[in-house]
Amino acid sequence: MQIRRSERGFLGMSHSPLYGLNAVDAAVQRQLDAAVAQARALVHDFAPELVVLVGPDHYNGFFNELMPPFCIGSAATSVGDYLTPAGALNVDAALALGLAEHLMDADFDVAVSRRMKVDHGFVQALQFLWGGLDTPPVLPVFLNAVAQPGIARLRRCAQLGREMGRFLDGLPQRTLLIGSGGLSHEPPVPTMEHPDAAVRERITCARMPTAQEVAAKTERVMAAGLALAAGSPDMKPLNPQWDLQWMQATEQADWSAFSAQGEAAIAQHAGLSAHESKTWVVARTALDSPGTGQALHCGLRHYQAIPEFIAGYGILMLHNLASPHVPERPFP
């Protein structure tokens, strides 16, 4: 197939550290595994030469002592939390720095990390799609989704994505844009309002946790998922209606209804960690080439509310050019 300049695909994909840890109904697991397998097949058919991966962190790589709203990594290492592999991501350092320079020239001040640490919020998507960290070249873009007040607003996320798209317009590579995060969920991620000073210190200062701390955290999150599945009033329920509306808004690249409700409504309706869904905004708005008038095609739209995983789990794949490799359906 002849590859045209700026050919791009978008994949919005939830993640959950409890995938493979907490048991779910066999039919639920089969349905989810089939959707992930379909996403993997579509991605391999698309055969990206570059992956722009927008993901959050869960106090494994970024901490409150210095928390940027956005950060581009010219190198990135997975910490290997939960069931994800540890090790170096295949980052294209020159392109990452080129993206940072482009954004700075466009008056978009963005942080740069020469030694970014990432967790399952980045790595689970790579693991599911390529089986590990042996992937096409990656540009990792971090989005703060947990540490107030520095969580970027919807409008700013869209602005970042559009400017990233302009950078990609100058590249020949076939590019997959992944937004890894969301949808509705509120796992036990601590905030700076936590009453325990030791907890506040842990999410402020960067340090490697002990094996005992990692095990305790894993058990705590697993227990939270089981509590949510059991209907515990201490756990915020998932919101499938919000999730499906968000996925539709992402297809249409129109989040105006969510913006009109205000930022606080995201946590109110979908949970504190639903700000991760903004990774979809950044990646989706980088998909379109402004002024090209290209039609979009949806290859996959899947959703399940899985309380055991503390996840409104959504997968959405779009493609900005007609291709014999990708099932074509006119974008609504």
Side-chain angles (χ1 to χ4, degrees), residues 186-212:
E186 188 170 300
V189 177
T191 69
M192 291 300 291
E193 286 69 48
H194 198 284
D196 189 335
V199 172
R200 298 197 301 272
E201 179 71 8
R202 179 172 62 80
I203 64 174
T204 298
C205 297
R207 69 172 181 84
M208 288 295 294
T210 66
Q212 292 80 3

Side-chain angles (χ1 to χ4, degrees), residues 165-199:
R166 294 186 181 96
F167 172 76
L168 294 174
D169 284 340
L171 302 182
Q173 291 96 324
R174 187 189 310 110
T175 301
L176 178 66
L177 296 135
I178 300 177
S180 171
L183 300 165
S184 67
H185 67 306
E186 188 170 300
V189 177
T191 69
M192 291 300 291
E193 286 69 48
H194 198 284
D196 189 335
V199 172

Side-chain angles (χ1 to χ4, degrees), residues 6 80 136:
S6 296

Side-chain angles (χ1 to χ4, degrees), residues 240-327:
Q241 181 180 3
W242 189 95
D243 296 339
L244 292 171
Q245 290 173 345
W246 183 271
M247 292 181 70
Q248 180 67 15
T250 301
E251 281 199 63
Q252 298 175 346
D254 180 7
W255 299 270
S256 56
F258 293 91
S259 296
Q261 297 175 33
E263 286 288 319
I266 295 176
Q268 176 185 350
H269 297 305
L272 291 174
S273 291
H275 287 285
E276 289 183 356
S277 304
K278 293 173 179 176
T279 61
W280 291 36
V281 177
V282 176
R284 171 65 179 87
T285 49
L287 174 65
D288 297 319
S289 297
T292 62
Q294 294 167 345
L296 289 176
H297 303 273
C298 180
L300 174 61
R301 184 195 298 107
H302 177 84
Y303 177 76
Q304 289 174 268
I306 308 177
E308 293 88 349
F309 291 173
I310 319 181
Y313 201 101
I315 306 175
L316 177 67
M317 187 161 184
L318 305 171
H319 183 229
N320 77 340
L321 285 176
S323 164
H325 295 293
V326 180

